[in-house]
Each structure stands twice: as structure tokens, then as C-alpha cells.
């Protein structure tokens, strides 16, 4: 009988080819670009993470250059040859080629220039192929790096990873912006956040996190909103103060930057990214922030309960000027604007023990301490004219005991947008979903 | 101005307490069990991953034992004291206690026995609190370990992590078992798998993976089916043969077992788990398997195109007896039973270059090589009376070139069920969703 042994072919690591100068190699990839010179041609091969410069010359190649075209997938046999003009420090002299697959048509968008010369609309319409551009794909390689750093750091801090359901019986964040679906004759919803589940799981593992999809049926079509996004959620028990959550987030951000610098240098260089520095993060209350903006910019305060987007931008500008930080924590948001599970400040119940983190004008995190006492939570639900019976399984944790706890949610795509200095969150979303886009 | 520095308090690692014999410590947790003896009491404290035996005696404690009760969340101050009768090799002599939170009611289910004495129905109804049982939570700690092992191994093999959308414009697997939702006036679906997206992304990074939620609106209520589950999906380009995917999966499974043995020893011991050995995995074709079962058990073959669940069980029994393997690959499933993107065997188009992996009677993986040629894919869609225009964005990859590729999908909860030897997939699903369960 045939058997499978788990013998995995060692992978070619493009960067290591520089140690194989003079050696024969085999490499697979897609022909990214062919540049014909007078007596030879450059063939740029696109592999999983690199562009490799190869040289075709009839002096050593045993095939006709006419046989290969851009976007063919090929296996090349050749020799590694030192070349300091090439970005990787070497090139490959091609000897043989095997064609593995051919496209049926020419590309409708030019993908092999330094930067894609197309509108965001076109880039998104053709996402499966525009992502093949070296800069476009570098964005999502960095996004992978963010996730890997988050997991590595949180595991080191004894957070347990969970997978909570996305089809739910009740919305956690309230409001009308929730997707409904028919679940075998019952009405069900798509989770707006893993809020209830991560709180439940604090009662099990003390500290938990999840990186998963969340859904908001928001109808406004802005450069910062999506209807489906990836949320980095964490929740931690036995906190003494909600500032512990902000300390954890600050450390997490420091680790993300360090990890990207360490493991994704090529992508950062390619995109010419200067990551924001995270040292101390200044911390102001919501009321102080409103006042600061008002004073610095002689701006009338129109809404005492929430920020206008312009105010978030101005606050970041101000903080950067005064404290040289691209991040700022805003704490103590008004109770009226926070969900029913937010813990109120015992000194002034108009405000919650909550925070947002702003970066470069954009809100990238919402967090805070949660109510853990059963009667406090039931009272707050009743005060908001909400029916505690609808939250019976959630309220089990309060009823049977849960430690003081809090947590945060951070949008992965928004964080990427912010770190990369992009102006539209769709640029940093693999396949964005908005009110007018459901495809690809 | 206040500032947050990212100063994270070093964590108490329960196992390391044995190096702190004689030292004063502070530890937070939930009171799991109080056992009163004649002159003292055992207080078992449940922390994030351990149960710690603590001793209360009025000789050294500065409070009355009546002040604390089971399921209180507390901070204990005490001294680490050697004790070989305790599982961890030490105990904590309690000196002071601070009560952090109290439950409002007594537990409706006894959670602090070795094993929960309750029906699966009750365990699931009270999931937020029954998970606090040490054995229940160990299941999902192991599930975390599986995910960590998968990511670690796949990254080492140059797979890039992706996040594909779950709200989609078309189902990948066909059939009626798909959840529909209203997406701003358009009909949309919940993804049955990330199939189209992982294939698209092979064109970008050569090798990709995703661990994420998938949805099947299947109406049958069996011990093996869920309506929402977590799928481990991978897809790899530049394969020479679909057996490369099986080799990769075999190596992946070997790494999962090794990683669990290394990092989750306590949980494996607690649950008395003997992980299945993964060495060589026997490999039979679908037709051979049918014949083998028929011969060995004198069983009439009723369905030549698919397995009955009983046949899967018998095949695993047979393979174990003859080849001492708890895993078996079944290859070359009939074309009629595989989706439209499955590549057919050029030698016999009745069969596909596909496989399932069975373990302990259960199918845990489906995989295979995909069609990469544009006209081959369009022809197959037309032959199945499907409209290629509906798959326009998916077919971009074929039209503009994609390497030979294939991949697999493995249900995380089913894999956990199989490795832990459970009989119902709900036991290894954190918050299961089935036709009658939408809560908690």
C-alpha cells in the first residue's frame, strides 16, 4: 500500500541564494517582467516574497526567449551569479525553463510597475490580480506580521486564544447597525464584536484574546468604515485599574513595531514606511481633550458627548506638537455614549472607566473596564430600558462570579492603515466589504 | 500630563512557584473548592491555567475562614511552602485575603468535581460557567495549542496568513446549505469556505493559510456536524502532484502532536489523552477502499460514489488492524461528488485528484488539486450548467495566470474531537451552533 511520510521538500529561501553563488538551482515563480536589452534580457521572477532578477542570454540558455511571456508560471533552472547591481546582490543565469501554466489573456491592469497606476476603485475591482504588484502585496505581508506579533506577545503574557461564534442571538454593541439572518426560522445576528464571549472566557482563563471577523451594518460610506473587519480583541481579569489595560496595549504596540522592524524589514523598506515610535503614550480625559482643542484652535465645542472626526485629527496634531507622540489615549468617555457593560467612574457617574486610542488622527482602539457585579449590571440594563432576560446567558458570569476585568478591541485594518500612513482603510483590507462592494 | 509607559507587571507562573519555597507571594484567582479538615482547611485556588492548593489555618491567617466562599474572586497573600502531597509540589499558606468580587447566587451546576456530572445539554446550556471546570477548560487550551502549532509550522514553510471575507457574493461549495442575508438590499451569503480567496491568494504569495469561521446551513443534526465551525485552510502553489499536499498535511500533523506534547503536557495528562501517532499515513484510492471494506466485512456496496459513515468507521478499523495507523488518506474521489474546481485525473476523468483524511472513523480533512487552466475551468462550469459570469472575479486568476496548486480544509473542532477521542463535536466546540442551539 502507498504511504505518505510527511517528507516536505526544503524550501528555497530567496535571500539565502546569495550563499549559493556559482551553484545550480531550480526556482519556481511567475514571470513578472521581461526587459529586453541588445544582447540579453532581464527576466524578473516573482516568487512568494521576492522579485528575483534573472538573466536570459542565448549564450547559456537552451531555449528561445520567445517561448516565455509575462505572467507565465515557470520553473527555471540556472546558476546563481553574483551581481551587485541587483537588489538581492545576485542574479540567476537561466539555462532551462519549464512552463507550468499560461494565462488565457493579457492583464487588464499593468501590475509590474513600481506602483500601480490605477484608481482605488480599479485596484479593488481587480484585487485578485492587482495584489500581485510587489507593493500591494507587501501591505498584507505586514498585516500578517502584526497578527503574528500580537499572538506572540499575548501568549507570552498568558492570554489564551479563543474562537467565539459569529452567529449570535443578541448584539453586543446595540443600535441598528447589525446584520440579521434567518437561522432555521429564528432571527439571528452577525456578531458586532466578541464582547460577551471574551468576558465569559475571562471567567475561565483570566486572560483571553481573539483575532476574528466582526460585522457592522453601518450605512455610512467613509474612508474609515467597513461592514466586515478583523478585530483584535483582548480581555483581562484581575485588573486593579483600567489603566492596566492601557499599559498592556502600550506594551503590545511596542512589541508590534519591534517585531515588524525585525521580521519585515524588506516590506517596510519597499513601502518606505517609517513606523510611529511608541514610547510613553500621553493620556488625557475626554473633557480635557475637548478643552485643549477648543483653546488651541478657537474651535466651538458643538457636541459635549462625542468627538467630531476633525477634533480627533486636531487632538493628534496637538499632542504630536506638544509631546512628540503619534499616539494619545483619551479616557473617561461620557456614560451616555458607551455600551451598557461599561463601568462608570464611581467619582462621577457621568463618565466611564473607558478609553480610546487615537493614532495619526484616527481612533484605532476602544476599551475599558466592564461591570462585574451582577446587580450593578442588571440595574444598568433596566435604567437603559433593556430587558435582562434577553441577556440571560451573558449575565451568568456576573451572577456566578467574575473577577474585575476589562479589555479592548482594535481594528486590524485600521491599525495597518494608520501604521502605513494610508488614507483609506480599503487600501489595507484584503477584500473590503462596504455598502456598495460585495465582490470580489 | 499623565502618560502610559507600557509597564506590564511580570506574571506569576504557577509552576515556577516551586522555586519560591519560603517566599512571600501574592496570587489572584477564583476559590474553586474549600475542604474543611478538623484544624485547618484546604482552599483550592483556580488561576489562569492551574489549580493551586492553599492552606488556611487560624495559626497564621489573619482573617476568619467564614469570610470566603467558593466562587469568590480573591487576592491571597501567603507563603510558598513545600508539600509533596500537592500536585504542584508546593502549597500556599494563606496569611491575608482581599475579596475582589462575589457571585450573586450559588452555582446551578457543580463545577469543582474532577469531572462534570451533567448531560452534554446542560454543560452547553451553562457553557460560560461549566467551562470553569478544570477538565472542560483543558479541552480548549489544547485547541489553542493546535492553532499555535499550525501557525508555527506553516510560517516555517513560507505560508502567508490571510483574512478573507465571510460575507460573500457566491458560495464556493454549491448546494442549498448556505446561509443567506440581506446586504443593503442585495442577497449575500455566509462563506462555506475560504476556497475562492485562498486560491486567489496563491497567485499572490504562492502559499497561504487561514484559520477562520465557515458556515454550513446543513439541517441534519448529527454528532459530527455544526453550522458554524473553525476551518484550518491552506493552499499551495507550484505543486507537482496533489500528493505534495498530503505530504504537507502529514508533516503538519506530526508537528501538532509534537507541539502539544511539548507545551500542553499538563492538559494532556489531566484529560488522560494518548495522542494518535503520526508516522507514515497509509493511502488508498476511494475505489480500493470500497472494495477493502466490502471484502473484509462482507458488506454490500450500496453507494459507489460516496462513503456511508459506517464505512468510514470500518475503513479506519481495518487500516488500524493492518497498518497500525489511526490515520488514512483516501484519494481519487468520484468527480460527481467533488466541487467544480476539483482537478480531474487525466487518466480517468471519473475521478478527481483529491483526498480526504480519515482519523478514528471520522473525516477530518478534504483536499485536492484545483483546476488552474482557464478554459478547462470554464468548460467544467458549463458542463455543470453553472454560469461562468457569476464567478467572474474568481475566474480572474485562471484568466490571467495561476500556478498549478491545491490545498485542504480541516475542521478545528473535528480535529480536536478526534485527537481527544470524543464522540460529539459539540464537546470540543467552545460555543456550538446547531439547528437548535444559538445560545449562549
Amino acid at each position: 500500500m502507498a504511504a505518505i511520510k510527511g517528507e516536505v521538500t526544503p524550501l528555497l529561501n530567496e535571500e539565502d541564494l546569495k550563499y549559493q553563488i556559482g551553484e545550480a538551482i531550480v526556482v519556481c515563480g511567475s514571470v513578472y517582467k521581461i526587459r529586453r536589452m541588445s544582447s540579453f534580457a532581464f527576466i524578473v521572477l516573482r516568487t512568494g516574497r521576492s522579485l528575483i532578477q534573472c538573466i536570459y542570454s542565448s549564450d547559456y540558455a537552451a531555449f528561445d526567449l520567445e517561448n516565455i511571456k509575462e505572467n507565465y508560471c515557470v520553473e527555471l533552472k540556472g546558476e546563481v551569479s553574483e551581481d551587485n547591481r541587483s537588489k538581492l546582490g545576485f542574479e540567476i543565469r537561466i539555462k532551462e525553463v519549464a512552463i507550468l501554466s499560461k494565462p488565457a489573456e493579457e492583464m487588464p491592469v499593468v501590475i509590474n510597475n513600481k506602483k500601480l497606476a490605477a484608481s482605488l476603485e480599479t485596484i479593488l475591482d481587480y484585487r485578485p490580480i492587482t495584489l500581485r504588484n510587489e507593493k500591494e502585496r507587501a501591505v498584507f505581508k505586514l498585516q500578517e506580521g502584526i497578527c503574528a506579533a500580537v499572538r506572540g506577545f499575548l501568549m507570552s503574557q498568558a492570554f489564551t486564544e479563543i474562537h467565539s461564534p459569529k452567529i449570535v442571538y443578541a448584539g453586543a454593541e446595540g443600535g441598528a447597525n447589525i446584520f440579521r439572518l434567518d437561522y432555521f426560522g429564528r432571527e439571528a445576528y452577525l456578531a458586532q464584536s466578541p464582547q460577551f464571549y471574551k468576558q465569559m472566557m475571562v471567567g475561565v482563563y483570566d486572560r483571553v484574546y481573539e483575532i476574528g471577523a466582526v460585522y457592522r451594518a453601518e450605512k455610512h460610506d467613509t474612508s474609515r468604515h467597513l461592514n466586515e473587519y478583523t478585530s483584535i480583541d483582548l480581555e483581562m481579569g484581575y485588573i486593579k485599574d483600567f489603566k492596566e489595560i492601557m499599559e498592556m496595549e502600550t506594551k503590545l504596540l511596542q512589541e508590534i513595531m519591534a517585531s515588524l522592524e525585525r521580521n519585515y524589514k524588506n516590506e517596510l523598506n519597499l513601502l518606505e514606511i517609517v513606523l510611529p515610535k511608541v514610547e510613553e503614550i500621553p493620556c488625557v480625559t475626554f473633557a480635557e481633550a475637548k478643552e485643549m482643542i477648543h483653546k488651541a484652535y478657537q474651535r466651538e465645542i458643538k457636541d459635549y458627548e462625542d468627538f467630531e472626526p476633525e477634533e480627533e485629527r486636531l487632538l493628534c496634531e496637538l499632542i504630536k506638537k506638544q509631546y512628540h507622540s503619534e499616539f494619545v489615549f483619551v479616557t473617561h468617555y461620557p456614560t451616555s455614549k458607551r455600551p451598557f457593560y461599561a463601568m462608570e467612574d464611581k467619582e462621577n457617574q457621568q463618565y466611564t472607566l473607558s478609553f480610546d486610542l487615537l493614532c495619526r488622527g484616527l481612533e484605532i482602539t476602544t476599551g475599558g473596564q466592564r461591570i462585574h457585579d451582577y446587580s450593578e449590571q442588571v440595574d444598568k440594563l433596566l435604567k437603559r430600558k433593556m430587558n435582562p432576560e434577553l441577556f440571560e446567558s451573558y449575565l451568568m458570569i456576573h451572577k456566578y462570579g467574575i473577577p474585575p476585568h476589562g479589555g479592548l478591541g482594535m481594528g486590524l485594518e485600521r491599525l495597518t492603515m494608520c501604521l502605513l500612513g494610508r488614507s483609506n482603510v480599503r487600501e489595507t483590507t484584503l477584500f473590503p466589504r462596504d455598502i456598495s462592494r460585495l465582490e470580489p
Side-chain angles (χ1 to χ4, degrees), chain A residues 297 312-322 325 361:
Chain A
Y297 299 95
E312 294 184 339
R313 205 186 60 72
L314 293 174
L315 177 65
C316 286
E317 191 177 278
L318 207 53
I319 291 287
K320 193 176 172 188
K321 220 183 291 172
Q322 292 182 11
S325 170

Side-chain angles (χ1 to χ4, degrees), chain A residues 37 43 47 65 73 149 173 191 207 245 311 317 335 403 412:
Chain A
M37 312 305 275
I43 296 180
T47 61
L65 183 58
C73 294
E173 309 306 319
R207 291 179 170 189
I245 309 160
E311 287 175 318
E317 191 177 278
T335 300
L412 173 64

Side-chain angles (χ1 to χ4, degrees), chain A residues 325-336:
Chain A
S325 170
E326 301 216 61
F327 292 90
V328 56
F329 278 117
V330 180
T331 66
H332 298 86
Y333 277 79
T335 300
S336 59

Side-chain angles (χ1 to χ4, degrees), chain A residues 162-320:
Chain A
I162 60 167
H163 298 279
S164 68
K166 305 306 165 206
I167 299 183
V168 296
Y169 61 95
E173 309 306 319
N177 59 359
I178 189 162
F179 287 108
R180 287 170 169 75
L181 78 156
D182 172 58
Y183 191 80
F184 305 114
R186 283 180 70 178
E187 184 167 82
Y189 309 96
L190 290 185
Q192 294 167 304
S193 85
Q195 185 62 35
F196 295 169
Y197 296 97
K198 61 180 185 163
Q199 285 187 254
M200 290 174 191
M201 295 310 292
V202 158
V204 177
Y205 295 121
D206 295 357
R207 291 179 170 189
V208 296
Y209 80 96
E210 176 166 14
I211 301 180
V214 297
Y215 302 90
R216 306 283 167 105
E218 293 181 50
K219 282 189 182 141
H220 43 295
D221 203 6
T222 80
S223 62
R224 301 171 300 148
H225 289 88
L226 291 168
N227 296 107
E228 172 172 18
Y229 67 90
T230 309
S231 183
I232 299 170
D233 268 278
L234 65 85
E235 199 76 14
M236 50 197 278
Y238 298 101
I239 56 171
K240 291 198 167 48
D241 189 306
F242 81 105
K243 294 209 168 148
E244 272 186 54
I245 309 160
M246 289 150 68
E247 293 283 357
M248 190 61 80
E249 178 165 29
T250 304
K251 189 77 188 157
L252 172 61
L253 288 167
Q254 289 166 352
E255 293 291 325
I256 290 172
M257 306 307 158
S259 171
L260 291 179
E261 296 282 5
R262 210 163 43 231
N263 304 318
Y264 294 83
K265 200 84 207 150
N266 289 347
E267 284 80 8
L268 291 174
N269 289 342
L270 181 65
L271 297 174
E272 297 169 59
I273 300 298
V274 181
L275 291 173
K277 283 207 173 51
V278 196
E279 287 159 357
E280 288 191 351
I281 299 184
C283 186
V284 291
T285 68
F286 176 79
E288 285 164 2
K290 277 275 179 186
E291 205 52 44
M292 276 174 71
I293 302 161
H294 167 65
K295 276 197 188 141
Y297 299 95
Q298 287 85 48
R299 229 184 115 87
E300 188 198 346
I301 302 176
K302 286 180 202 146
D303 183 349
Y304 281 88
E305 299 199 321
D306 214 344
F307 280 129
E308 299 167 50
E310 179 63 7
E311 287 175 318
E312 294 184 339
R313 205 186 60 72
L314 293 174
L315 177 65
C316 286
E317 191 177 278
L318 207 53
I319 291 287
K320 193 176 172 188

